[in-house]
Structure formats: structure tokens, C-alpha cells
Amino acid sequence: PKIKQSTGTRVMYALYFLLVTIICVIMMSPTVPFYNEMCQKLNAGENCKTLVGYSAVYKVCFGMSCFFFFFCILTIRVNNSTGWRAVVHNGFWLLKFIALVMCCAGGFFLPEQETFLEVWRYVGAVCGFIFLLIQLMLLVEFAHRWNTNWSSGVKYNRLWYAALAFVTLLLFTAAVGAIVFMAVFYTDPEACLYNKIFLAINGSLCLIVSLLAISPFIQKLQPTSGLLQPGVISVYVMYLTFSAFTSKPKEMVERNGVNTTVCVFPLNSGTESDKKIVTAVGTVILFGCVLYSCLTSTTRRSSAALRVCRNSEPETEVNTLIFNDYDEEKTGSGQNVVYDEREGTVYSYAYFHFVFFLGSLYVMMTVTNWFHYDNHKIEKLLDGSWSVFWIKMASSWVCLFLYMWTLIAPMVCPKRFEA
């Protein structure tokens, strides 16, 4: 099938990113099949240990982040696909793959590795949190776009209003159901004080932003504001809250002389195979979220929406994403390529690589369990740690703050909403 040049380029970089991420997961899993056999055949001995663990992941991700950061610098202010820098960005895939492998391998030969690991840990934490902010901003932007698109359809077909009402009701039902579920299974009269406090705080904040979204004052500033956006935000905040509760170290309470684990979902499937399945699903979800954020945030429309106090990009830019008659088409054996960037770039090349740079460090920190990296394995991806708990809880508050900011932004940045 036909493929646009801009789409094919982003897919190739995403495949590079996914390949290195899979290698990092393997490095964090000493139980990977054939690992010991491979070390014996290579006669690596003790050196084989340097290929696993959090330090190996740090070095590999350092190489991948350097790869994307180099291309970020190289493609600054590239506005068309005819220059040599654009040609390098859109081609030479074998040479770039070799360069990526060399960057990842070069991390194992860095001097003063203890100092490097200590410094790179904090660099990764900062950049990973910035990537998390981009994810949250994309969610808020997606909620506003969804409501605007469906609300505009009401003028032509009243069924859009019914669909809008149904989805809104479904979202709030899911949010309320999540609150009830967590109140039943993740609170306890004798323990889990944090769970009770933060569940009440997040539930109250979701109610406040919902009432704020439909208040007459906000409706006057933003006529398209409705309950769909706070519904989306509430569901995601409840997901982050639930994820934070499950990431917190387990609490024990002595009852009838027996130590009992509380504030956990009472599953009877505690076998090792079930745990591996859960870990695999969690890892796939991690990959999906990172790739979606990397690819979605680099479109013109999404990247413009991330700049809250700037005039949004005109809708006519979307036309560059559509197949045009004058686009040159490469036919014959192999892939048919539609050159959709002859008139200008569809997305910002530099920003694209910068997001992948941040995504590389986010994967590094997530796979190694952020600051609790000692003796960590990928099989313990879903095990509890306080650092993961606070990061996810803080993310829920940032998400609510970003949405509240978009509601009051017309007062602070009126030029953005003049149209």
C-alpha cells in the first residue's frame, strides 16, 4: 500500500526506539531464556554480568538518547524536505541503524562509570518527568478536541448530542465506579492512611473541575466547554490513583495473631505464571503509551496545542496531511511513497527527535523502577515502591492542574481564543 514519506520516516524511528526498548527489558530480566547458555558459549564469564541489570540499561539508553539528541540538533529549523539535513533525516536507514548500535555499545566504554551512573540517574529523572508532563498535556488537548468535534456535529445531526451525552455518562460512571472500587478494596479502617486521604482529595478535585467546566463564568469564556472533558480527565486521574495504590509497598496488619496484607485486591491467582502474564501486559502497555506519546505529540496540531498561550495553528495545515494530486509518487518494485512534504514539513523534525530523546530516558527510568533500581528486575515492574507511588500521585495532580489552567486560560491568554 501507499505510504506518506512523513509517516514512513516516523515509523522507522519508532521501530528503532522499540527495538532498543525491548533490549532494555531483556537486560532487566536475568531469567531470560538461554541467557546462561549464551554466556557459556561466549566464554564471557563475569563480563556477562555487565550486560544485565540497571547499569546496562542506563548505558544503552544513554546511547539511544544521544542518537536522538544528535538528530534533534541536526534538524533544527528544517522547514522543507529538500535540504541535505532533511535527506539525512528521511533516509540512510542502514547507516543510522549502525550509528544507533555504535552509540548504545559506546555507553559500555565510558570512563568513571560510577560517576556517570549517579549523574545520569538524575538527568533521566528530570527528562522522564518532562516526558510525563507532555503525556498529560496531550491528554488534556485530546479531551478538548474530542468535545469540540462532537459538539460541532450537533449542528448537523442531533444524534451527535445523544452520543456526546452517552459517552459523558459512561465516563463519569467509570470514574465513580473506580472510586467505589478503590474505597472497598484499597482502604482499611486500621491502615492505608495515604490511600484514604488521596482518594478523597482526588475525588473532590474531579468534582470541582467538573462543576467548574459547566459554570456560567467558564461557559461564557469557552462555549464549547462541557462535561466530556472533565469526564475524560476524571477517568484518567482515577487510573493514576489506582496505579499509585497498586505501586505502593504492601501494608501488613496483625489480626488474630497473624500478619495480614491489607489494601490489595483479593486475587487467588498468585502463581508465578500469572505474575509473568501481568508483567508482560504491563510492559506492553508501557510500550504503547510511550510510542503513542512520541508519535502523537510531534504532529503540528498537537505540538501547537502544547503551547497554551500561543495562537493555535490554522486548520488549513491539516490539509498537508492529506494525499495531494501533485505529490510525487514513487512506483515500481518496493514501497510506493507519496512525497507529502514537498511544500513544507508536516511536523517539526527537531521536536520529533527531542520527544524521542525524552521518551528514551522515560523508558530508562520506568524499566529500572526510577530510584529503586537496586536488585530490580523487569518481573518486578508492578511491585511496590514509594518513588513510583509519589510520581503517579503527583502526575494525577498535574493533570488536574493542566485541565483547570485550560479553563481559565482565556483570561490570561485572550489572543489564543480571539478566533
Side-chain angles (χ1 to χ4, degrees):
K2 299 177 183 178
I3 188 171
K4 304 175 197 175
Q5 182 187 34
S6 60
T7 302
T9 297
R10 284 181 285 183
V11 168
M12 285 300 298
Y13 282 114
L15 290 176
Y16 285 178
F17 180 86
L18 184 61
L19 176 62
V20 178
T21 304
I22 292 174
I23 293 174
C24 291
V25 171
I26 294 174
M27 287 178 168
M28 288 301 295
S29 177
T31 59
V32 63
F34 312 117
Y35 169 72
N36 293 325
E37 292 82 354
M38 181 185 68
C39 290
Q40 292 176 0
K41 290 181 179 180
L42 294 176
N43 294 322
E46 292 295 324
N47 294 328
C48 212
K49 294 182 179 180
T50 62
L51 300 178
V52 296
Y54 83 95
S55 62
V57 173
Y58 274 32
K59 296 167 187 174
V60 170
C61 287
F62 171 77
M64 179 167 63
S65 61
C66 289
F67 174 82
F68 285 114
F69 188 74
F70 169 77
F71 278 96
C72 174
I73 300 298
L74 179 68
T75 55
I76 289 177
R77 301 181 69 85
V78 173
N79 299 319
N80 59 73
S81 60
T82 58
W84 69 270
R85 292 186 295 164
V87 173
V88 173
H89 168 79
N90 291 308
F92 301 99
W93 295 109
L94 178 60
L95 295 178
K96 285 190 288 192
F97 178 76
I98 295 174
L100 176 62
V101 173
M102 293 176 62
C103 288
C104 294
F108 290 88
F109 299 95
L110 292 172
E112 301 291 339
Q113 294 207 2
E114 290 298 326
T115 304
F116 160 75
L117 293 175
E118 185 68 25
V119 174
W120 194 242
R121 183 176 307 127
Y122 291 99
V123 173
V126 173
C127 294
F129 193 74
I130 293 174
F131 182 81
L132 198 58
L133 290 180
I134 292 177
Q135 281 185 308
L136 299 176
M137 295 171 74
L138 282 176
L139 175 71
V140 174
E141 184 263 340
F142 166 76
H144 280 291
R145 187 194 304 177
W146 186 6
N147 185 77
T148 302
N149 291 341
W150 282 29
S151 297
S152 61
V154 174
K155 301 176 182 178
Y156 308 100
N157 193 333
R158 301 298 294 180
L159 289 177
W160 283 108
Y161 185 80
L164 191 64
F166 174 76
V167 172
T168 301
L169 179 62
L170 198 64
L171 290 171
F172 277 104
T173 301
V176 174
I179 293 176
V180 174
F181 172 81
M182 287 184 282
V184 172
F185 292 105
Y186 289 91
T187 61
D188 188 87
E190 303 176 18
C192 306
L193 178 62
Y194 284 158
N195 291 14
K196 289 181 279 190
I197 293 176
F198 293 141
L199 182 61
I201 290 176
N202 286 4
S204 301
L205 290 175
C206 289
L207 177 62
I208 291 173
V209 297
S210 301
L211 296 177
L212 184 64
I214 58 175
S215 63
F217 180 72
I218 297 299
Q219 289 286 316
K220 183 179 178 180
L221 295 172
Q222 298 191 59
T224 59
S225 177
L227 286 174
L228 180 63
Q229 301 104 312
V232 173
I233 300 301
S234 297
V235 168
Y236 190 71
V237 167
M238 288 302 108
Y239 161 74
L240 288 176
T241 306
F242 169 76
S243 183
F245 289 170
T246 56
S247 301
K248 187 168 63 68
K250 296 180 176 60
E251 296 189 33
M252 308 288 290
V253 174
E254 184 176 346
R255 289 176 178 168
N256 300 324
V258 178
N259 289 331
T260 305
T261 303
V262 295
C263 301
V264 294
F265 189 67
L267 287 175
N268 295 325
S269 56
T271 63
E272 194 67 25
S273 60
D274 291 336
K275 188 175 182 181
K276 290 182 178 179
I277 293 175
V278 172
T279 303
V281 172
T283 307
V284 170
I285 292 175
L286 169 66
F287 291 168
C289 290
V290 171
L291 285 177
Y292 174 79
S293 299
C294 288
L295 296 175
T296 305
S297 63
T298 54
T299 61
R300 289 286 190 193
R301 188 170 182 177
S302 295
S303 59
L306 296 180
R307 301 188 297 271
V308 179
C309 288
R310 292 282 299 277
N311 289 326
S312 57
E313 300 290 333
E315 293 295 329
T316 54
E317 282 200 5
V318 182
N319 294 333
T320 60
L321 300 174
I322 305 175
F323 290 107
N324 297 316
D325 295 334
Y326 56 79
D327 283 335
E328 182 183 351
E329 192 174 313
K330 176 184 175 182
T331 57
S333 61
Q335 181 70 59
N336 292 335
V337 179
V338 177
Y339 293 93
D340 59 334
E341 294 188 308
R342 295 181 63 187
E343 299 298 320
T345 57
V346 173
Y347 60 99
S348 171
Y349 291 172
Y351 182 66
F352 172 83
H353 289 293
F354 181 70
V355 171
F356 268 87
F357 163 75
L358 297 177
S360 303
L361 298 179
Y362 177 78
V363 166
M364 180 186 78
M365 298 304 295
T366 304
V367 170
T368 58
N369 204 25
W370 292 84
F371 287 98
H372 290 261
Y373 49 84
D374 293 330
N375 298 322
H376 181 69
K377 304 175 183 178
I378 194 63
E379 288 79 8
K380 297 181 180 180
L381 179 65
L382 302 180
D383 285 2
S385 70
W386 283 109
S387 61
V388 178
F389 169 80
W390 286 113
I391 287 171
K392 293 181 178 180
M393 193 58 66
S395 299
S396 66
W397 298 333
V398 172
C399 184
L400 289 165
F401 170 77
L402 289 174
Y403 175 63
M404 291 179 66
W405 166 246
T406 60
L407 294 178
I408 63 175
M411 295 185 299
V412 182
C413 306
K415 290 184 179 181
R416 172 179 166 82
F417 299 89
E418 283 179 354

